[in-house]
Amino acid sequence: MKKVRKAVIPVAGFGTRFLPATKSTPKEMMPLIDKPIIHYIVEEAVNSGIETIIFVTGRHKRAIEDYFDYYPELEQVLNKSGKEKEIEMLRQISNMAEFVFIRQKQQLGLGHAVLTAANLVGNEPFAVLLGDEIIKNDEKPGIKQLIDIYYQFGKSVIGTMEVPKEDVSKYGIVAGKEVINGIKIIESLIEKPSVEEAPSTTAIIGRYVLTPNVFDALRETPIGRGGEIQLTDGLSKLREKEVIYAKDIEGIRHDTGNKLGYIEAIIDFALDRQDLKDEVFKMIKEKYKEMEKDSVEQN
Ligand code: G1P
């Protein structure tokens, strides 16, 4: 069976939910403490055995290319002040993988973004990671969990999680039959259904391992929800031809694509860091006490 060596990360979106911050900074570059969100996503892929990262990028996303490149001018400055460790740390970012960039010239949807990478992926299985979600699992990275299932069955696998009924319209929803150890064979997929339409409450989260047959399926996929070519619709077409599996991903999932999720991720990561955790915890306790006092006074 072919190895899963490549990952496609679509990063062409505008990030309108974080305007004005994203007017001149890609949303993927927003920091979670001292690393941009995209760094965590790439780390997850690399820690899962991925060797090549294909960014499907767009206008105004140059900062992502620069982030994964060497920065000789900065290295010179750091060198002068003897900051060897920092130079090494910066170089390691560029050395994590081979980085490839391709422009999605028109924003025609997630399915179209994935299709843009078709020639770069070629005839082999590949991973897709969406940059809005961070999955924290130190033992087994999110996408690795799916890659292992791919190696078991040789077919596409979609990462899922259970969501409350009222949230189904925010996600692609799948329904299927469990075959073994929480792994399901998908029977239907629908992008952002209403509560009435949803066949289940199993939501697609932004992690996929796909066979290259998905490209032909995407080429045949008509424009769907929101006037876009949806990856979920492409997968629905692929399912007519070959089996697709789904599995709930284990780990803490942070939806950094919305403000509350982003704040939660920052707090969670800060409380994990030896150098920050005590001070941050103290800060939160003090803030909490202050807010309690204010609310007592107001009542
Ligand atoms: C995309 C997919 C959707 C999936 C979601 C996960 O939607 O189209 O199927 O459930 O990512 O985050 P988006 O959030 O980009 O609208």
Side-chain angles (χ1 to χ4, degrees):
M1 198 179 297
K2 283 187 185 163
K3 250 189 98 186
V4 183
R5 302 181 302 147
K6 298 177 181 175
V8 173
I9 308 186
V11 292
F14 274 124
T16 46
R17 275 188 280 183
F18 279 95
L19 280 170
T22 47
K23 186 179 172 194
S24 59
T25 305
K27 63 174 173 170
E28 296 80 10
M29 291 303 295
M30 299 211 334
L32 281 185
I33 312 187
D34 47 15
K35 284 198 285 193
I37 292 172
I38 194 70
H39 187 131
Y40 295 88
I41 310 282
V42 167
E43 253 173 359
E44 177 187 332
V46 169
N47 291 338
S48 305
I50 297 292
E51 296 160 9
T52 301
I53 307 275
I54 301 166
F55 286 110
V56 180
T57 167
R59 294 158 59 77
H60 318 298
K61 296 283 180 161
R62 288 252 300 277
I64 300 175
E65 287 181 52
D66 291 342
Y67 186 76
F68 290 101
D69 194 4
Y70 280 3
Y71 191 173
E73 297 88 342
L74 176 59
E75 284 183 18
Q76 257 175 28
V77 173
L78 292 171
N79 201 12
K80 274 192 198 136
S81 41
K83 298 202 157 134
E84 299 297 330
K85 255 203 200 145
E86 280 78 358
I87 296 175
E88 191 44 38
M89 183 260 287
L90 292 179
R91 286 203 158 207
Q92 252 172 17
I93 297 171
S94 328
N95 294 342
M96 275 197 284
E98 173 189 40
F99 296 102
V100 182
F101 298 86
I102 184 163
R103 288 261 182 129
Q104 184 187 13
K105 293 178 198 136
Q106 285 175 290
Q107 295 216 7
L108 298 181
L110 181 58
H112 178 259
V114 171
L115 188 53
T116 304
N119 287 337
L120 293 170
V121 171
N123 191 26
E124 56 183 281
F126 64 104
V128 176
L129 294 93
L130 304 189
D132 282 349
E133 277 151 300
I134 290 191
I135 291 155
K136 218 163 121 234
N137 184 329
D138 294 338
E139 271 147 43
K140 197 165 184 188
I143 197 70
K144 178 80 169 74
Q145 298 172 31
L146 303 186
I147 291 175
D148 283 353
I149 298 172
Y150 173 81
Y151 287 142
Q152 215 175 327
F153 299 104
K155 291 282 181 265
S156 300
V157 194
I158 302 179
T160 53
M161 69 170 184
E162 284 303 312
V163 295
K165 212 172 177 181
E166 60 274 20
D167 284 350
V168 287
S169 63
K170 295 184 194 156
Y171 298 93
I173 299 293
V174 303
K177 256 203 207 105
E178 180 167 337
V179 274
I180 185 170
N181 297 336
I183 302 170
K184 288 181 192 145
I185 286 189
I186 295 183
E187 289 170 342
S188 65
L189 301 100
I190 173 165
E191 178 68 7
K192 304 203 174 88
S194 63
V195 174
E196 296 75 35
E197 284 170 315
S200 79
T201 50
T202 308
I204 300 175
I205 56 174
R207 299 293 182 273
Y208 312 75
V209 173
L210 303 175
T211 65
N213 293 339
V214 72
F215 296 125
D216 275 342
L218 281 168
R219 285 186 192 102
E220 290 167 15
T221 302
I223 289 173
R225 225 191 142 76
E228 298 187 337
I229 298 172
Q230 296 292 347
L231 180 57
T232 305
D233 295 344
L235 292 170
S236 200
K237 277 222 168 292
L238 178 66
R239 200 200 67 85
E240 293 167 13
K241 305 215 166 84
E242 60 182 46
V243 172
I244 304 181
Y245 293 91
K247 168 85 169 61
D248 281 0
I249 289 194
E250 285 160 30
I252 299 169
R253 172 184 173 270
H254 290 297
D255 180 3
T256 53
N258 78 67
K259 286 170 198 151
L260 270 180
Y262 176 66
I263 295 166
E264 189 189 53
I266 294 178
I267 296 172
D268 188 25
F269 278 94
L271 291 174
D272 253 9
R273 291 249 307 234
Q274 288 311 324
D275 59 334
L276 294 172
K277 109 179 180 196
D278 294 342
E279 286 300 308
V280 172
F281 187 47
K282 205 168 117 197
M283 216 188 276
I284 294 170
K285 274 198 293 197
E286 271 161 23
K287 200 80 213 156
Y288 179 79
K289 266 193 237 153
E290 230 175 76
M291 289 181 78
E292 281 272 279
K293 205 171 128 220
D294 284 355
S295 90
V296 170
E297 274 167 16
Q298 269 168 26
N299 289 329

